[in-house]
Amino acid sequence: MPPKSPRKQQIRSQGEPRSPDRPDFQDPDFNFLCENLKISDNVRGKAWNTYEKMFPSGYMMRETAKKKESLGLCLYIASVDCEEMTFTFTELLKILRLSVNRCFRLLREMDINMDVLSNKVDNAISKLKKKYENMCLLFQKFQRTFELIFEEQHNTRAAVDTAPILKGTWITFLLARGKILQMDDELVISCQLLLCVLDYFIKLSPPSILKEPYKSALNGLPVNTPPRSSRRSQNRNTRVSPQSETDSKVLEFLCSQNYCPMDEVRNVYSTSFVDFLASAGISSNEGIPKVESISRQYEELYHKHKDLDARLFLENDETLKVDVQDRYDNPNRVYICNPASKSVLRRKDQCLDLERTPRKDESEVFPVPPQTPVRAAMNTVQQLMVTLSSANDKPPDTLDSYFSNCTVNPKTKITDRIEHFGHVFKEKFASSVGQACAEIGYQRYKLGVCLYYRVMEAILKTEEERLSVHNFSKLLNNDIFHICLLACAVEVVVASYARNASQAYCSSGTNLSFPWILRVFEIKAFDFYKVIECFIKAEPSLTSNMIKYLERCEHQIMECLAWQSDSPLFDLIKQTREREGLVDHPELVSNLQQPVQHNHTAADLYLSPSRSSHQHPVTSVPTSSVTNGQVSSSQPVQQKSTSLSLFYKKVYLLAYKRLSSLCSSLLSDHPELEQVIWTLLQHTLQQEYELMRDRHLDQIMMCSMYGICKAKNIDLRFKTIVTAYKGLTNTNQETFKHVLIRDGQHDSIIVFYNLVFMQKLKSHILQYGSARHPTLSPIPHIPRSPYRFGNSPKVPGNIYVSPLKTPYKTADGLLSPSKMTPKTSFLISLGETFRSPDRFQKINQMLNSCERPIKRSADTGTTPKPLKKLRFDSDGQDEADGSKHIQGESKFQQKLAEMTSTRTRMQKQKLEESLESSQQEEK
């Protein structure tokens, strides 16, 4: 029988006396959970209502275990919603006998089936998942490092048990992390803090249980003892203070083996870890800290946060394992199922990405070393350090010369601004990450300043070469430009320290996630958007992951941040519409099929909202145009906003790509509707742009799809649209659950459609249901991403360009086909005779399979040809294809052109030789 509803009459339950006002629930499992988890009456009622919504009276729960799990999760949901959490997450898992991963999976299923999770619950679950995943990674890192430092018990003669040291080190780290850090996803500082704890325990441990090189370092001896003659010639000063050498040596070895910058770890030790030891009452004079005392302090911290008890990693607890069913439900994922064992399963999604070790045949072509998320984070930081190794947090001489050439020297304002924002960033970083991390934040800010000067110099050099101009006074004295450029540089540094920059972390669940940087520097998203493309073009060392991250930030600005009420975008649209008179909008529909030009400079976008345009001499007014900091007179022509025009083009491209993805999953039987929906969406963005105020681009997209389907009498429910929308990349349930209606009132997207969207566009939408519908808007030209990924020569189809390795050669040239593997047989050596004529055809097929055909406008009257690939050239111009190398062309494109040219010459030469031989035979 299904569980009964609460009875009105009151009865006494077993155990403690019940409050006379408490409703009684006749379900024993529910009452058992409520009593053991100390649930309040308010939470009990809400949890029961949630359970009845999920399982109505006609539904029979066949398995008692699943029923108990569902009841427990309903209690968790209600406790978070009511902000009355009386139990920890681990206590809930224990009483339900659930693993962490199974619990997350059940909550996800409940949300998909019944949509019962609020934004508050969703954020709480996301925070728990991040903490669990991070703790898994950190415990694996701790285990591997501990095994490299300490001898196994059977290998040491000393009567010292390493188990208490293992336990004490891990719990001390947990306590230090909990007290120092407020962020659950700060992986780099956590790793550095782990090394500090290990360094502390190594120095307190007997040398007999240590492995090399830590044993020699602890004894104050050089690890690699040099010959006697070499020791005599050493400086005496290097051996007079063995204790100081020991202090630094242990930390040096830990840093080198774990790919951590020594300076950063030393900074964490001195600014954060030392203060923690004092606050926790841990003193080296007392020897190795008592596990009971440290565990007691961590117990208080764990109950305060109401989350996971990470001490259970040491016990290989069942709650931290992944259940078998979850592994069957997700066969493509590989999970960390036993964090306490040496066998670590790996997972492919989110932050537990581990790059697999390449197979033998793959390593010959493109070797990729195995990489954990911790190692990947450290490598990203190291790469940043290498990039900025020659940079300085002071203006270089080249910039000083640019400053001197200005009509008004901006150097003083620039340095004062940097100093001011340094204090602001340090304070904001400390409040977000932890007060003990203030100095760490300031060091990251200084790295951002180095990158800021480096990019500014690159921008000015490019403009000087392009225009032969030396005076950039107006640009260099523009405050908004400098603040946005500095903010972008600091954001790149902050993102480099994140766990996985490629996933962008553009979500509110992370303390330092974008747009946190906008609040720190007090800049508008629309102003920040202008600098992103310029920044990427000016800094060639950016990795592909970082470029994708910045591109995702740009998308988030175009989706919602630029449309906030206080954004300058709305004033710019209004001014442009008033200035253009007969032109309805700054972005003309006829230009949608043309590729977005990426030759805009920082001056174009920052110095003035308008620039001369010779396209529409309808309403002529005398103006002046701004070019790279210099004012030049122009003829009386109609004005067009450069920044607004480029912004709208990019918004249209983003909107159409997302709409196309949604249509492909929902309207595959009605492909003709895609252009109709796009026409309504484009009309709304162009003519009814006020609907975007404090709203999201995807909200307008989903309403447009629903409205057209209603007008065309196609059965497509909003629930179906929302379900498909969840499958798109970078989506958030708040987009369809929390939509602005009016005057600060928010509701679901269906309420917004009925009360706002339909009321505004009803007459226009109905026109699409008639035989004489409005003229359809052309489909925007969809180019590839304009951002080059120069660090990788890979192109779609797994083709790489690399020097020919010697193992593939013999005395007679290349290996014979009989001696080549399937991988090596597909290699091509430039200048060599090709063994089979179809090899270039295979390459072309691989490349063409990844190309999307691009349609020309119908009025061209010529055969459709794919448009040229957009590139960033020094002069911003695209060149036609030809035999000459195009500036900005990738190495692979150049090699491919060379191969084609070589093949043509060889074929021509072979043809000539055959003709000559035939002529000789005739003679």
Side-chain angles (χ1 to χ4, degrees):
M1 294 292 293
K4 296 182 179 180
S5 302
R7 297 188 304 175
K8 293 184 179 180
Q9 65 268 28
Q10 298 179 357
I11 60 173
R12 279 188 176 273
S13 61
Q14 298 179 356
E16 296 182 0
R18 174 178 48 81
S19 169
D21 297 329
R22 174 182 299 176
D24 184 30
F25 300 88
Q26 203 173 14
D27 187 85
D29 291 328
F30 186 75
N31 289 329
F32 171 79
L33 292 174
C34 290
E35 293 299 328
N36 281 271
L37 297 176
K38 302 180 177 60
I39 304 298
S40 66
D41 295 344
N42 182 34
V43 175
R44 289 187 188 209
K46 186 162 186 175
W48 186 262
N49 291 337
T50 303
Y51 183 78
E52 285 191 320
K53 178 182 176 182
M54 293 174 53
F55 306 104
S57 56
Y59 181 87
M60 180 176 293
M61 183 71 72
R62 297 179 180 179
E63 297 184 31
T64 305
K66 287 188 176 181
K67 170 194 164 186
K68 189 175 181 180
E69 292 172 358
S70 301
L71 287 169
L73 295 181
C74 289
L75 287 171
Y76 173 77
I77 293 171
S79 298
V80 174
D81 277 330
C82 298
E83 297 183 357
E84 297 181 27
M85 188 64 67
T86 57
F87 54 90
T88 68
F89 192 67
T90 296
E91 289 172 346
L92 176 67
L93 297 177
K94 288 285 189 182
I95 198 171
L96 297 179
R97 296 182 179 180
L98 273 178
S99 67
V100 177
N101 280 290
R102 176 167 171 77
C103 180
F104 291 151
R105 181 172 63 86
L106 291 176
L107 286 168
R108 185 175 66 251
E109 290 177 354
M110 291 168 63
D111 187 44
I112 292 174
N113 296 330
M114 299 299 300
D115 196 19
V116 296
L117 300 187
S118 64
N119 292 327
K120 188 184 298 184
V121 177
D122 190 56
N123 290 335
I125 294 173
S126 298
K127 186 176 181 181
L128 277 172
K129 288 179 69 176
K130 288 176 184 177
K131 182 163 188 176
Y132 168 68
E133 291 166 346
N134 250 11
M135 295 312 300
C136 286
L137 297 173
L138 291 168
F139 186 72
Q140 295 164 26
K141 182 70 174 177
F142 166 72
Q143 272 196 309
R144 290 192 296 267
T145 309
F146 192 89
E147 292 172 358
L148 294 174
I149 297 172
F150 292 92
E151 294 279 3
E152 296 182 14
Q153 195 62 38
H154 58 80
N155 290 338
T156 177
R157 299 177 181 177
V160 178
D161 187 8
T162 57
I165 300 178
L166 173 73
K167 189 174 182 179
T169 306
W170 176 246
I171 299 178
T172 302
F173 165 69
L174 295 178
L175 182 62
R177 186 177 184 273
K179 287 195 170 186
I180 293 174
L181 295 178
Q182 297 172 193
M183 289 177 58
D184 293 322
D185 57 348
E186 177 53 75
L187 187 60
V188 174
I189 296 181
S190 297
C191 291
Q192 295 169 348
L193 196 58
L194 177 60
L195 298 187
C196 295
V197 176
L198 287 168
D199 174 80
Y200 183 80
F201 273 80
I202 289 172
K203 293 174 182 177
L204 296 177
S205 302
S208 58
I209 64 172
L210 297 175
K211 294 181 180 179
E212 295 292 352
Y214 301 99
K215 179 184 292 187
S216 299
L218 197 62
N219 289 328
L221 298 174
V223 179
N224 297 320
T225 305
R228 183 179 300 274
S229 60
S230 176
R231 290 202 300 266
R232 288 174 181 172
S233 62
Q234 285 182 341
N235 191 333
R236 293 176 179 268
N237 294 333
T238 61
R239 293 184 287 149
V240 293
S241 181
Q243 184 60 37
S244 61
E245 181 179 323
T246 303
D247 291 342
S248 62
K249 277 293 182 182
V250 173
L251 204 57
E252 280 182 22
F253 290 134
L254 285 171
C255 292
S256 63
Q257 289 187 349
N258 292 277
Y259 303 93
C260 284
M262 176 67 177
D263 293 339
E264 290 198 356
V265 179
R266 188 186 288 115
N267 185 35
V268 172
Y269 198 107
S270 60
T271 60
S272 303
F273 185 65
V274 173
D275 293 338
F276 156 74
L277 293 175
S279 64
I282 300 176
S283 174
S284 58
N285 297 329
E286 301 175 0
I288 296 177
K290 303 293 184 183
V291 174
E292 295 77 12
S293 174
I294 304 171
S295 185
R296 195 181 310 113
Q297 293 186 58
Y298 177 74
E299 182 85 16
E300 297 175 1
L301 197 66
Y302 151 67
H303 280 285
K304 177 183 176 181
H305 294 158
K306 306 291 185 184
D307 53 14
L308 291 165
D309 187 354
R311 293 172 298 182
L312 298 179
F313 280 104
L314 295 167
E315 302 173 12
N316 191 21
D317 192 84
E318 293 291 328
T319 59
L320 301 177
K321 294 181 180 179
V322 65
D323 61 298
V324 178
Q325 179 63 38
D326 197 24
R327 221 178 301 165
Y328 284 128
D329 292 342
N330 301 278
N332 294 327
R333 294 182 184 175
V334 195
Y335 293 89
I336 295 176
C337 97
N338 189 352
S341 69
K342 293 183 180 180
S343 60
V344 179
L345 296 177
R346 293 170 181 173
R347 169 179 180 176
K348 292 178 66 178
D349 67 333
Q350 295 184 0
C351 58
L352 296 186
D353 264 339
L354 300 187
E355 295 183 16
R356 61 180 177 81
T357 305
R359 296 189 297 270
K360 184 175 180 180
D361 58 339
E362 292 179 346
S363 60
E364 296 175 343
V365 179
F366 196 77
V368 180
Q371 205 172 49
T372 65
V374 177
R375 175 72 58 81
M378 295 304 173
N379 286 349
T380 304
V381 173
Q382 273 195 330
Q383 185 172 357
L384 178 67
M385 296 296 183
V386 171
T387 301
L388 301 178
S389 58
S390 60
N392 199 336
D393 59 351
K394 303 294 181 184
D397 295 338
T398 308
L399 278 181
D400 278 335
S401 64
Y402 283 120
F403 296 159
S404 301
N405 291 332
C406 292
T407 307
V408 179
N409 194 317
K411 183 175 181 179
T412 303
K413 287 182 63 178
I414 290 174
T415 53
D416 291 345
R417 185 187 298 111
I418 287 175
E419 182 179 358
H420 164 71
F421 280 112
H423 298 301
V424 174
F425 184 86
K426 183 178 180 180
E427 179 184 348
K428 298 291 186 180
F429 187 90
S431 62
S432 297
V433 180
Q435 293 300 322
C437 300
E439 195 60 35
I440 299 173
Y442 187 68
Q443 294 301 319
R444 294 187 183 181
Y445 174 79
K446 290 173 67 176
L447 288 175
V449 173
C450 297
L451 185 58
Y452 160 73
Y453 283 132
R454 174 186 167 98
V455 174
M456 188 197 307
E457 182 179 349
I459 290 175
L460 296 179
K461 280 184 176 179
T462 301
E463 293 307 299
E464 183 181 29
E465 294 173 359
R466 189 169 75 93
L467 300 170
S468 299
V469 174
H470 307 285
N471 186 352
F472 299 97
S473 184
K474 287 198 172 184
L475 178 63
L476 293 179
N477 281 281
N478 185 280
D479 293 341
I480 297 179
F481 163 71
H482 282 290
I483 297 175
C484 292
L485 185 63
L486 176 61
C488 190
V490 176
E491 178 66 16
V492 168
V493 173
V494 172
S496 298
Y497 280 86
R499 183 172 52 194
N500 191 344
S502 65
Q503 292 173 5
Y505 273 146
C506 296
S507 64
S508 58
T510 306
N511 295 32
L512 302 182
S513 63
F514 186 80
W516 176 79
I517 198 72
L518 303 184
R519 297 190 293 270
V520 173
F521 286 86
E522 297 181 348
I523 52 179
K524 303 300 181 184
F526 182 71
D527 292 326
F528 183 81
Y529 134 84
K530 301 175 188 178
V531 84
I532 294 177
E533 186 174 316
C534 302
F535 192 98
I536 294 175
K537 289 194 292 183
E539 182 48 66
S541 67
L542 293 178
T543 63
S544 59
N545 281 343
M546 186 55 63
I547 293 175
K548 292 175 184 176
Y549 173 80
L550 291 176
E551 193 173 21
R552 174 58 196 143
C553 293
E554 184 181 60
H555 288 175
Q556 191 174 1
I557 291 173
M558 293 187 291
E559 289 169 354
C560 58
L561 297 178
W563 301 98
Q564 295 174 351
S565 292
D566 59 347
S567 173
L569 175 62
F570 291 99
D571 290 336
L572 183 57
I573 294 175
K574 183 178 179 181
Q575 293 169 11
T576 306
R577 289 173 67 95
E578 292 174 353
R579 181 172 58 246
E580 293 187 350
L582 298 179
V583 182
D584 290 332
H585 199 272
E587 177 49 60
L588 302 179
V589 181
S590 59
N591 289 335
L592 291 179
Q593 290 182 300
Q594 300 301 320
V596 179
Q597 296 298 320
H598 296 279
N599 56 350
H600 306 286
T601 65
D604 290 329
L605 301 178
Y606 278 101
L607 293 185
S608 175
S610 61
R611 189 181 74 172
S612 295
S613 174
H614 296 270
Q615 297 177 354
H616 305 281
V618 179
T619 306
S620 299
V621 290
T623 59
S624 62
S625 64
V626 183
T627 307
N628 295 284
Q630 308 308 311
V631 179
S632 60
S633 61
S634 63
Q635 297 298 323
V637 292
Q638 183 170 329
Q639 294 298 292
K640 188 171 90 170
S641 170
T642 301
S643 58
L644 184 59
S645 175
L646 180 62
F647 177 79
Y648 254 91
K649 276 193 173 182
K650 288 189 174 184
V651 168
Y652 285 158
L653 293 177
L654 177 63
Y656 176 73
K657 283 191 287 187
R658 295 183 71 78
L659 174 64
S660 180
S661 299
L662 200 60
C663 287
S664 63
S665 61
L666 293 175
L667 299 173
S668 57
D669 295 335
H670 304 278
E672 73 281 356
L673 290 185
E674 180 179 304
Q675 190 172 6
V676 181
I677 299 171
W678 161 244
T679 302
L680 175 59
L681 176 58
Q682 191 269 339
H683 168 83
T684 307
L685 295 174
Q686 177 184 353
Q687 302 295 340
E688 305 294 344
Y689 58 89
E690 281 291 337
L691 285 176
M692 281 293 299
R693 189 181 292 271
D694 292 326
R695 296 189 179 97
H696 197 285
L697 179 65
D698 292 347
Q699 295 167 355
I700 307 300
M701 175 188 69
M702 287 186 281
C703 288
S704 299
M705 174 175 283
Y706 183 77
I708 293 298
C709 289
K710 292 284 285 185
K712 295 286 188 178
N713 295 321
I714 294 176
D715 185 19
L716 182 64
R717 300 183 179 183
F718 239 123
K719 184 178 181 180
T720 307
I721 296 177
V722 167
T723 302
Y725 173 75
K726 290 180 181 179
L728 300 182
T729 58
N730 301 314
T731 58
N732 192 312
Q733 66 169 353
E734 187 173 354
T735 305
F736 53 85
K737 287 186 176 181
H738 194 72
V739 187
L740 175 66
I741 307 301
R742 62 174 67 89
D743 300 329
Q745 177 190 357
H746 293 77
D747 212 312
S748 67
I749 190 169
I750 187 64
V751 176
F752 166 72
Y753 176 84
N754 290 328
L755 298 183
V756 181
F757 188 85
M758 190 60 181
Q759 300 301 321
K760 191 76 172 177
L761 294 165
K762 182 176 182 179
S763 60
H764 188 77
I765 292 175
L766 292 177
Q767 296 178 27
Y768 293 98
S770 63
R772 301 180 61 182
H773 55 73
T775 304
L776 299 183
S777 299
I779 298 299
H781 166 77
I782 306 295
R784 292 180 179 178
S785 172
Y787 306 127
R788 290 189 309 177
F789 305 114
N791 289 354
S792 173
K794 181 180 178 182
V795 297
N798 293 326
I799 298 177
Y800 299 87
V801 177
S802 62
L804 188 65
K805 306 285 194 308
T806 53
Y808 302 128
K809 292 184 177 180
T810 63
D812 300 328
L814 294 178
L815 291 176
S816 62
S818 60
K819 296 182 179 180
M820 302 186 79
T821 66
K823 284 282 182 181
T824 58
S825 64
F826 202 63
L827 294 176
I828 293 178
S829 174
L830 301 181
E832 297 285 347
T833 303
F834 301 108
R835 289 173 295 276
S836 59
D838 62 338
R839 303 182 72 193
F840 269 109
Q841 295 179 3
K842 291 182 180 180
I843 294 178
N844 290 333
Q845 290 173 0
M846 294 169 67
L847 293 176
N848 292 333
S849 63
C850 302
E851 294 275 2
R852 175 173 179 173
I854 308 228
K855 297 181 179 180
R856 292 281 193 179
S857 57
D859 56 352
T860 57
T862 58
T863 305
K865 295 181 180 179
L867 294 173
K868 295 172 293 183
K869 179 182 177 182
L870 293 176
R871 290 176 293 270
F872 285 131
D873 302 322
S874 60
D875 58 356
Q877 300 297 325
D878 292 325
E879 298 181 18
D881 295 334
S883 59
K884 296 182 180 179
H885 292 320
I886 302 173
Q887 187 174 3
E889 210 173 13
S890 67
K891 292 182 178 179
F892 173 78
Q893 290 171 320
Q894 295 178 9
K895 291 291 186 182
L896 196 58
E898 290 175 4
M899 289 195 301
T900 306
S901 178
T902 302
R903 184 190 184 200
T904 303
R905 290 198 307 268
M906 292 175 62
Q907 289 178 339
K908 184 178 180 180
Q909 182 179 359
K910 186 176 181 181
L911 180 61
E912 292 176 352
E913 290 175 351
S914 62
L915 290 175
E916 290 178 0
S917 60
S918 62
Q919 291 175 358
Q920 289 177 358
E921 290 177 358
E922 291 176 358
K923 291 180 180 180

